Amino acid sequence: MQTNNGETHQNSTTDINDDLSELERDIHDALVNGINVQETVHDLTLKAMKADRLDIDSIRRIVTAVANGVHEGAQQKFLAVNNQTQTAKSQITAAIFGLDSALARFAEASKLAVQEASGRAQKFSDKELTQTRSDLESLESLFLDTLQNTASAAKGAISDILHDITSHAKNNGTIVGAQLKETLATFAQQAASVGHAQIEAGAQLTQTTAGFIHKIATGVLSGIKDHSQNKH
């Protein structure tokens, strides 16, 4: 029985790694093709987030795969081409903006999950609310740290561009950071209404959030992506 569980875990890990490798390749191709980069990165990132069990480590791996794909795609397309710095900056900025807005949609989906539960007079467990809130609080720094690490790993003009984008995001704020203020306020309201003796809720917050991510990714829910076009 232990062997079967070990094999299942190994197969699951292999599947996740394959999915991340595919995500990285798709992001790479989006940069190389240079068509609708922002929307493509946004949609690919959300697609990767549609798993039923999505924790902060999963998101970190997704964000890292996206950042690696952006770096490698930009390197292939622009590094050997002279006088392409502005074009490279525009494409890389669009890609990072797509990632930022996708993370914001994840934060929005978490808020919607809590609001729906509240509307149905249902409460998630205090333990799950606390864990998810902690994960969300680290989401913007995860995004910025990954950008910083990618910039440090890059070379030449691409490194300079990524450092500039990171500095701009730190100084001027991010889309995910703005959304997190709303989301965390909603979590605080929900947590305040959860008693110490709260029984585990029937629905899990992570699964409910995944359902909203699916709706957002398939266009059933709209909002931040359209709104963020103006901000960009």
Side-chain angles (χ1 to χ4, degrees):
M1 191 72 169
Q2 276 187 322
T3 303
N4 290 338
N5 288 340
E7 288 176 355
T8 300
H9 177 72
Q10 186 175 12
N11 290 337
S12 176
T13 301
T14 301
D15 290 342
I16 292 169
N17 289 336
D18 287 346
D19 289 345
L20 291 173
S21 296
E22 182 179 357
L23 173 63
E24 192 169 321
R25 286 194 302 271
D26 289 343
I27 297 293
H28 166 279
D29 292 347
L31 266 291
V32 171
N33 294 333
I35 302 172
N36 298 327
V37 173
Q38 178 184 319
E39 184 172 353
T40 301
V41 172
H42 173 99
D43 292 346
L44 286 170
T45 305
L46 277 181
K47 182 181 177 183
M49 287 182 173
K50 283 159 57 178
D52 284 343
R53 180 67 201 171
L54 194 61
D55 55 24
I56 198 67
D57 289 331
S58 302
I59 295 172
R60 181 179 289 106
R61 289 192 290 270
I62 290 169
V63 171
T64 299
V66 172
N68 288 341
V70 170
H71 174 208
E72 291 162 9
Q75 188 173 37
Q76 178 179 333
K77 184 169 184 180
F78 300 113
L79 198 58
V81 181
N82 293 325
N83 302 319
Q84 289 293 307
T85 304
Q86 269 313 114
T87 305
K89 185 170 185 176
S90 175
Q91 296 283 24
I92 295 170
T93 300
I96 299 304
F97 195 85
L99 173 58
D100 188 6
S101 61
L103 291 173
R105 297 312 292 272
F106 169 71
E108 182 193 31
S110 299
K111 181 190 76 169
L112 293 172
V114 170
Q115 287 178 330
E116 183 191 52
S118 179
R120 294 183 178 184
Q122 180 186 39
K123 295 181 178 69
F124 297 111
S125 70
D126 183 51
K127 179 180 177 181
E128 190 175 19
L129 279 172
T130 301
Q131 180 60 57
T132 305
R133 183 177 180 179
S134 175
D135 289 348
L136 287 168
E137 286 173 338
S138 66
L139 191 58
E140 185 180 31
S141 62
L142 183 159
F143 171 59
L144 293 172
D145 288 347
T146 303
L147 288 187
Q148 184 68 53
N149 292 338
T150 306
S152 298
K155 297 178 181 178
I158 292 175
S159 177
D160 293 339
I161 290 167
L162 284 166
H163 276 299
D164 286 346
I165 292 171
T166 304
S167 295
H168 184 272
K170 287 180 178 178
N171 294 331
N172 296 279
T174 63
I175 307 171
V176 64
Q179 176 60 51
L180 281 171
K181 291 178 183 177
E182 294 182 22
T183 298
L184 292 172
T186 299
F187 268 69
Q189 292 170 1
Q190 178 79 348
S193 66
V194 176
H196 292 297
Q198 174 66 33
I199 299 173
E200 290 282 340
Q204 287 192 334
L205 177 55
T206 50
Q207 290 178 340
T208 309
T209 298
F212 277 108
I213 292 173
H214 178 76
K215 290 178 181 178
I216 290 169
T218 54
V220 176
L221 297 176
S222 61
I224 289 177
K225 185 167 71 171
D226 298 329
H227 168 72
S228 66
Q229 300 282 356
N230 297 327
K231 187 175 178 181
H232 182 53

